[in-house]
Structure formats: structure tokens, C-alpha cells
Amino acid sequence: MHTAPKQFGKYEILGELGRGGFATVYRARDTRLGRQTALKILDPARSWESDFAARFLQEAQAAAQLKHPHIITIYEIDEVEGQLFIAMELIEGGSLRDYLQAGTSALDVGETRALLAPVAAALDHAHAHGMVHRDVKPANILLDRMNDGSVRAVLSDFGMVKALAQSTELTQSGAILGTVEYMAPEQGDTARAHEIGPAADIYALGVTAYHLLTGQVPFTGSTVQVLMAHASKPPQPPHELRADLPPAVSEAILCALAKQPGERFPTARAFVQALAAAEPPPPEPAKPLPAEPLPLPLAPAKRERGPLPIAAVIVVVLVASILWGARAIVLRRQLPTSRATITPVAIDCDAMVATVSALSNQNNCESAVAGADAAIAAGCQDRSLWENRAICYTMLGKVDAALADFATALDMNPGDAWTYINRSYAYEKQGRLPEALADLTQAITLQPGNAGFYFTRAHIYKQLAQLKDALADLTAAIDLEPANAEYYLNRGDLYERLGELPAAAADFERFVALTAGDDAWTDYRAARQQWLQSYQAGLATLMPATTATPISTSTAIPPTATPAQPAARVNSVANVRSGPGTQYDRIGVAAAGQRFDITGKNGAETWWQIDFNGRAGWLFADLVSAAGDLGRVSVAPAPPTPTRVPPTATPIPPTPTPIPPTPVPPTATTVPPTSAPPTPTPVPPATPTAAPP
């Protein structure tokens, strides 16, 4: 019995999902990124020849370049100890084969068309990029249940069959690669291998449609019997197996199943369009999407299954129907005169907009951009297409393209505050901070009650060194949301930078209280608690006995009086140093409100010399209010700069202000900044400075 490995390189194996002739697929967790993936590991015994790995990797890498909403995303292609593997998107809903096995009846034309339209779009996209799938079948069509309850059909297993087909040993042995029940005639005949192209995938799509509509494949039997039937035997028309199918449906499917590639539909979407044209009016509304997850559970034989929920809610016409355009499609196979021209399927812009928004919200940006491109090309005019594409362009680093799309979205609705917010992030990525600030100001003008907008603008103000403006915005944010811990954290950090340590301490205490028990803030909370302990210890132990007295109504410097002796009043807790600069030793701490006589200054007038307990001390001028006849204060000589021994501990880094996440409206990609912790900040060491400078 095969036992799944517990670890495969950086992947933790969580369980087996499926097994085939060439590979085993596992549910795995990427231990570096923390995400679950589908991990396909090729059987090492199947690496028949030395150049197999190179061919496989080349084809898999080519498949990985296909970016489409309905093609599975490949994360990584590599090998571990000689075993090739592919790490790809994990689809939770099972396959179309699982769905068919869960029921007992065939699907109707609308359900079939709904399922195959996105698959056809994916195939046409691959064909346009020179890729042929070669193994289209229900087992390779995965059903991904989206957050909004809709279902996304995803085509998987690109590249593997072609890589295997090029194996010299397999070619020499005459091995058949693919699934014979769905295999085009040219795939089963080595003499016709040169004919294999996009038409082979259209044939397989036709077999899949036949299976969905009739509950069976056209040909069964041994491998040789099925291959011979594909090559020479006409399939029984589907309407002869199921009386409620219109003959036009059979004509469309038989055209896809033509023996010669040139007699089939020119594109996969043309085939699905023909099915849509032949679709009879629905007898009743589709039933709602069931609550149970896909695949649907097995049921008694007489269970009546309602219409496939995809017919009601799946975003089925996303790219396929969009790209059909307005021109009529003419079938290659002869049809009755009344059916010679097929009416195009109507474009469902609402469904396409919903899918693009869902992909954008899931950060599947490449697929979201592809979907938006197609929807816009088809004439859909919903402004969210441009905005979601702009957000994704920004995340992908294509900022110029993002700014162009934001401009279009704002032309369509210049009063949308969220668009300005999102565009400000694009400007910030380009370093265009004044433009970002202008957009944020406009957003606040439009929505003055949104605390997150002030918080985001404060972030820009800090980068522009406009700290007082940043402080005002953080205060406005707190006034609007007084229980938001993130705002207190950021304002406390800003107060610390400004030297207003009592205010910083008050904000940090509030932050600690609001985040008590919240694991998401553990590191931040511990750092600020450590800061508060050091701050209190600094006030208690570093302030020497001093003859200076706190300011009072009797000793305060009158605001309009000019005392004979110049004096300084401390605005906030400040360090007193032995010389004019932070390179000098700290000799004490002056409390807010204390008054000292000014006895000198440095040449730049940025430090005042004071009488501090009978010795010369120096205060940073920005931290005090000076009064008196300052013109009479002369420049005092600075003492020698002290020689310092390099510290053995790590120097105290400045505490960077957490960068707020970019707020985005509910229909866009991300969430307002109040919903997630800020970017991690370094934890300060055990003895941070108690006062500036």
C-alpha cells in the first residue's frame, strides 16, 4: 500500500487528492508562504529517459505562462531529489467528473453551454499562445466555488500530455497518451501525429458536451475498439439518445466530432456558441445553488437533480462569450437552411463584472486583468472594471497603466472617494507624494466622516516630514473611531518623534489596553509595554535632585513680560545634556513646566545652555519656550566631544511608523486600514531612551 510522504521539500503533505498513471496529486502546505496548494508529483519510475525532465519542465513552464481566469494557476515547477513536481492552485470544489458521478441524469443544453463556455475561452486563449491541451475531459475541468456562492470552471493539466508525447521511449513503444474516450482520431494514429493541433481540443470538447447531454461518451469498448471508432465510425446523434434534445444540438456536436480536423469548428467558442443558438427556451426558472459543497453527494437512483446551479449563478460567459463578438458564426458542417447562421449569445456584463471583482478581491490579479480586458473589449461600461483593473495593475507594478485606468474611472464618476484613495496608493508607489496627498485630501472632502482616510493621509504627511499635519489627521481619525488601537499606536509613535513623551505614553497605554488578549498585536504590545516601563523608570531614576521648581502662577514667565534674565520653560519631558548635541552625555531629565535661567547658546542657536543644579547643562531649543532678552545671550564654548566606547549591545533603532494598508471600497481589492495590523515594527531593546534628544 502506498504511503504518502509527510514532507516533500518545503511542502508539508496533508493528504492525497488523486492518482494517475504518471503522477500523484496531494493537498500540501507551502511552509514558507503558509498557503495550501495542489502538489502534483511525477512518479520517478516514469522518467524513462534522460531528456524527459527537460521536456517536461519546458512544457510545464510554457503552460505556466498562460494567464487566464479559467486556466489553473501554476505556482512552481521544480524537482526534489530527482522527483519532478508542479505546485498549483488548489481547487476545492472537485471536478466536473465528480459532479456527473454525483447525479443520475444528463444535463440540459443550458447547463452544458454554461459549463463549457469558460472552458472554450480557456482553450482559445491557449491556442492563441501556441499551446494544445490534448486531454480535455470532465476530470480535467475543475469547479471552484467562489466566496459569493458562484462557481468558476477551471481547466487543468496543461502541458503534461504534450511533454509525455515527446518522450522518445514512449513514441517508440507506441504508447497512447491521453484518454481514449475523448481522443481525436489524429491523436490515436501515430501516422497523423503531425495533424494534432487546436482542432484536437475542439473534438475533445465535443465529446465532453456529448457526455454531459446524454450521460455517456460516443464510443466504448477496448482501447483499440474506441480508437478505431473515433477514426471511422459515425457517432450516434445525441437527439436519438435523448428525445428532448433539438436536432440542431446534435448537428453542432457532430460538427465538433468531424473525423477531419478541418471540418470542425474553427474555435472552441464557436462550438459553444452553436450550442447556445440551439438551446430551447427553459421550461422553468433554474433552482438556486444548493448549500452543500461540490461535488454533490451520491443519491438514490431515482433522485431528481435540479438544473446545475452553474446555470443560475456561475459566471459562464466571462471571456468566451465576450470574445465572440457581433458577427455570425457559420458552421463548417452542412445544416438545414434555417440553421445555417448562428445567432450570437448575448453578453452578460453583470456576470463578467462580478467575476472580475471576485478575482480582484482574491488578489488573483492577472486573471482579473484578463477578464477586465475582455469585458471592456466587448463593450461593458461598468466603471468598476477600470477600477479593479487599475488596482491590480498597481499590485502588479504597472503603475502607469493603473493611473490611466483610474483616470477613466474618475471621468465616469468624479465623486467616488474610494477611487481617489486607491489612486493615491499608485502615486505613492511612484514616489509622487504631492499627488497622493492631493487625492487623499479630495477623498476626505467627499467623505469627511471616514477615519481611515485621515489615517492614510497622515501616513503621507509623515513621509513629507509634515509631522504636525500628520498629528492633526491621526487625532481626527481617533475622534471618529476612538476604539481603534492602530490609530493610538501610530499617534503615540508620532508623539515620541516630536518629543512629546507624556502624550506618547498616554497613547501607548491606550493601545495596550485596547489590544489586550489580541494575538495579532502581541509584538507591538510587548514593545510599547517595554517602552512604557523604561519611560517610567527614566523619570524616577534619571532625574537628579534639582533646585529648579515646577512652574506655577507665581513663577511662570508672563507671556507679555520680558524678564531681565533670559529663561527657558520646558514644554515636555526633555533630556539635559553636557553639551549642545545628542553626542554629549545625558546628565539629567527636565520635567514639563520646569523653568531654567539661560546662560548661553551654541552658534546655530539650536541649543540653550542652562544652570542645571550648579553645573552647565544644555537643552534642545525646540523642546522649550524661551523668553526674555535673548539678544543678550552670548555663544558659550562647547565642551570637548566625549570619546565613546563602542556599545556591546545593539544600538536603539528609531521606531518606524507602521505603514497603513491601503483602504479600498467593498467592490475593490483590499480593505480599509482599520481591519488589519500595520506593517511590523522593530521591537525596541530593553532600555529605550526615556526622553528626546
Side-chain angles (χ1 to χ4, degrees):
M1 179 177 178
H2 175 80
T3 302
K6 295 185 180 298
Q7 194 75 26
F8 185 80
K10 67 177 181 178
Y11 295 95
E12 176 189 1
I13 304 300
L14 303 177
E16 184 175 315
L17 294 175
R19 180 180 297 272
F22 303 114
T24 304
V25 182
Y26 298 98
R27 176 191 292 270
R29 187 178 70 88
D30 186 329
T31 56
R32 294 178 186 171
L33 299 178
R35 71 180 171 196
Q36 291 197 17
T37 68
L39 191 68
K40 175 172 285 188
I41 303 176
L42 267 66
D43 184 351
R46 295 294 183 177
S47 297
W48 302 276
E49 56 189 77
S50 60
D51 62 346
F52 174 81
R55 288 197 186 98
F56 171 79
L57 290 174
Q58 181 180 5
E59 292 301 325
Q61 288 165 355
Q65 300 305 310
L66 297 174
K67 304 298 182 183
H68 191 275
H70 299 289
I71 294 177
I72 197 165
T73 301
I74 295 177
Y75 297 140
E76 183 181 15
I77 307 160
D78 207 341
E79 61 179 280
V80 173
E81 297 180 354
Q83 282 189 276
L84 296 167
F85 74 88
I86 304 176
M88 55 191 151
E89 179 183 6
L90 179 64
I91 304 297
E92 299 281 5
S95 70
L96 181 55
R97 179 184 62 183
D98 298 330
Y99 182 81
L100 291 173
Q101 291 175 346
T104 57
S105 61
L107 308 184
D108 63 30
V109 179
E111 294 167 330
T112 300
R113 185 266 305 163
L115 276 166
L116 298 187
V119 177
L123 287 172
D124 285 344
H125 178 79
H127 296 161
H129 288 79
M131 292 290 296
V132 179
H133 190 286
R134 298 183 177 220
D135 197 21
V136 177
K137 58 184 178 181
N140 284 335
I141 299 172
L142 307 181
L143 304 178
D144 187 17
R145 184 178 289 269
M146 309 292 278
N147 292 335
D148 62 358
S150 64
V151 176
R152 177 172 66 110
V154 181
L155 190 58
S156 68
D157 270 10
F158 263 98
M160 178 174 290
V161 174
K162 185 175 181 181
L164 295 171
Q166 291 177 337
S167 170
T168 303
E169 184 170 328
L170 281 179
T171 303
Q172 291 174 348
S173 69
I176 299 298
L177 298 168
T179 306
V180 292
E181 288 81 7
Y182 300 85
M183 190 176 290
E186 60 270 26
Q187 287 181 268
D189 185 349
T190 55
R192 299 181 61 186
H194 64 281
E195 298 180 35
I196 298 175
D201 287 344
I202 294 171
Y203 186 96
L205 193 66
V207 177
T208 301
Y210 192 108
H211 188 177
L212 296 179
L213 290 168
T214 67
Q216 65 186 57
V217 292
F219 307 116
T220 58
S222 68
T223 297
V224 173
Q225 289 173 331
V226 173
L227 290 176
M228 291 180 63
H230 279 305
S232 59
K233 182 179 179 181
Q236 186 174 2
H239 73 278
E240 294 181 5
L241 298 172
R242 182 174 163 185
D244 62 332
L245 288 179
V249 171
S250 291
E251 290 288 348
I253 291 177
L254 294 178
C255 180
L257 299 182
K259 304 302 182 185
Q260 297 300 318
E263 296 180 2
R264 299 170 200 153
F265 288 93
T267 62
R269 59 182 175 269
F271 165 51
V272 178
Q273 184 186 20
L275 285 180
E279 181 181 348
E284 59 183 4
K287 296 181 180 179
L289 183 69
E292 68 267 19
L294 292 174
L296 299 180
L298 294 174
K302 293 185 178 180
R303 172 178 177 259
E304 292 185 2
R305 182 176 63 197
L308 181 68
I310 300 172
V313 298
I314 190 174
V315 184
V316 292
V317 273
L318 175 59
V319 180
S321 63
I322 301 173
L323 298 180
W324 289 342
R327 73 177 191 275
I329 302 297
V330 180
L331 296 177
R332 295 292 185 98
R333 190 178 183 88
Q334 185 63 41
L335 293 178
T337 305
S338 61
R339 294 276 180 182
T341 301
I342 305 301
T343 303
V345 176
I347 295 170
D348 187 348
C349 284
D350 289 342
M352 290 182 281
V353 167
T355 295
V356 171
S357 294
L359 291 169
S360 179
N361 286 330
Q362 293 173 351
N363 292 332
N364 189 349
C365 275
E366 289 169 335
S367 296
V369 168
D373 287 345
I376 291 169
C380 297
Q381 293 295 308
D382 193 295
R383 64 179 302 276
S384 71
L385 292 170
W386 280 270
E387 179 150 13
N388 276 302
R389 188 171 68 175
I391 291 167
C392 280
Y393 275 147
T394 304
M395 296 178 69
L396 294 171
K398 301 177 180 179
V399 181
D400 288 335
L403 291 174
D405 274 359
F406 279 131
T408 301
L410 286 171
D411 286 342
M412 300 172 86
N413 181 10
D416 191 319
W418 285 101
T419 308
Y420 289 102
I421 291 291
N422 291 322
R423 189 172 68 173
S424 75
Y425 178 59
Y427 278 135
E428 183 186 359
K429 288 197 72 171
Q430 282 195 333
R432 298 166 63 179
L433 298 183
E435 289 95 330
L437 184 64
D439 271 1
L440 290 163
T441 300
Q442 180 63 24
I444 290 172
T445 300
L446 292 168
Q447 286 190 24
N450 191 305
F453 291 1
Y454 292 96
F455 179 57
T456 306
R457 190 172 67 174
H459 167 65
I460 299 297
Y461 273 136
K462 282 184 281 187
Q463 294 183 73
L464 292 168
Q466 297 177 225
L467 301 187
K468 293 294 186 181
D469 292 321
L471 184 62
D473 271 0
L474 288 171
T475 301
I478 289 172
D479 289 343
L480 290 167
E481 292 185 16
N484 190 306
E486 188 175 5
Y487 298 167
Y488 288 99
L489 171 64
N490 279 267
R491 192 175 69 172
D493 287 342
L494 189 54
Y495 273 134
E496 183 185 14
R497 288 178 62 182
L498 291 169
E500 300 183 29
L501 300 192
D507 274 359
F508 289 156
E509 288 173 351
R510 180 64 173 155
F511 165 75
V512 169
L514 287 171
T515 61
D518 188 342
D519 292 341
W521 296 98
T522 298
D523 291 341
Y524 302 98
R525 186 168 55 249
R528 298 319 182 273
Q529 286 173 324
Q530 191 176 55
W531 186 97
L532 287 166
Q533 291 170 1
S534 297
Y535 170 71
Q536 296 298 335
L539 290 180
T541 64
L542 295 179
M543 185 183 296
T546 176
T547 57
T549 57
I551 196 164
S552 67
T553 56
S554 60
T555 61
I557 303 173
T560 59
T562 303
Q565 173 63 42
R569 182 179 60 192
V570 180
N571 295 328
S572 180
V573 177
N575 291 321
V576 181
R577 297 193 177 274
S578 62
T582 56
Q583 71 272 25
Y584 289 92
D585 293 330
R586 179 174 54 192
I587 62 174
V589 176
Q594 283 190 291
R595 177 186 181 280
F596 298 94
D597 288 338
I598 295 176
T599 59
K601 64 183 176 182
N602 67 340
E605 297 189 0
T606 55
W607 291 79
W608 297 115
Q609 186 186 60
I610 62 170
D611 180 6
F612 187 71
N613 293 332
R615 63 177 294 187
W618 292 81
L619 286 170
F620 186 48
D622 284 356
L623 301 182
V624 301
S625 296
D629 186 5
L630 301 178
R632 59 185 279 191
V633 178
S634 60
V635 175
T641 303
T643 302
R644 299 187 182 279
V645 178
T648 56
T650 304
I652 301 170
T655 305
T657 304
I659 299 174
T662 304
V664 185
T667 58
T669 304
T670 57
V671 295
T674 57
S675 63
T679 303
T681 46
V683 178
T687 57
T689 304

